[in-house]
Amino acid sequence: MSDEKNSGYEGFTAEERAAMKEHAQEEKKAARRTSRADKEALALQDVLDKIADMPDSDRVIAERVHAIVTENAPDLAPKTWYGMPAYARDGKVVCFFQSADKFKARYATLGFNDSANLDDGPMWPTGFALTEVTPEVEERIAALVRQA
């Protein structure tokens, strides 16, 4: 028997630490902005910049998701959240796009927070893997953001 305990926990990954640092910077940046119109315009530009910085495979999907969300849920305000494009209502993030590259994942993810109110019985999905945006996928995303 060993006296050493191994919980398996090795701390946050470098990608997770980077996301937390980005979130802190986003909060500081938002606090420095003055008018509401300035905040909204700069938040939108931040989202567009994040999308533009993505690798091509993620960028193409993120651009479509952004277009679908802004078209079908104009009440959701674009903003960055942990370095990811996100869409919020009354300051609370409703949904977000996580590129595959961000956490070295196999696929991009469209995620929904509890404020999306997608409740459907005792269990429902809150994250969706995205490998491409087909017409069927576009319609599903549009339906989800309209519901949210």
Side-chain angles (χ1 to χ4, degrees):
M1 260 185 159
S2 172
D3 289 336
E4 222 175 278
K5 289 184 180 179
N6 186 358
S7 68
Y9 178 73
E10 296 180 19
F12 295 108
T13 66
E15 293 83 7
E16 290 168 331
R17 284 192 302 274
M20 288 185 281
K21 286 179 183 178
E22 280 185 282
H23 182 63
Q25 290 170 347
E26 292 162 2
E27 292 298 313
K28 287 178 187 176
K29 192 177 194 180
R32 286 192 299 263
R33 295 176 177 161
T34 54
S35 75
R36 181 180 172 124
D38 284 346
K39 288 180 184 185
E40 290 173 1
L42 292 171
L44 172 59
Q45 190 58 53
D46 289 345
V47 166
L48 296 175
D49 291 345
K50 283 293 178 188
I51 292 171
D53 289 344
M54 292 178 186
D56 289 346
S57 57
D58 287 330
R59 184 182 43 73
V60 169
I61 296 171
E63 287 172 345
R64 287 303 310 137
V65 167
H66 176 75
I68 294 165
V69 172
T70 55
E71 180 181 319
N72 288 279
D75 62 315
L76 296 181
K79 66 181 281 179
T80 55
W81 185 62
Y82 292 95
M84 298 176 284
Y87 305 88
R89 181 181 304 111
D90 300 326
K92 291 186 176 190
V93 171
V94 173
C95 63
F96 59 91
F97 177 83
Q98 179 179 306
S99 72
D101 187 64
K102 179 114 179 126
F103 293 106
K104 312 296 185 245
R106 192 172 57 128
Y107 47 79
T109 305
L110 176 63
F112 291 87
N113 286 336
D114 58 343
S115 58
N117 294 319
L118 296 178
D119 307 32
D120 183 21
M123 184 175 147
W124 57 89
T126 59
F128 298 85
L130 290 170
T131 57
E132 66 177 311
V133 181
T134 64
E136 295 81 19
V137 170
E138 285 189 14
E139 185 50 43
R140 181 88 189 271
I141 293 170
L144 286 167
V145 297
R146 283 192 301 263
Q147 183 181 347

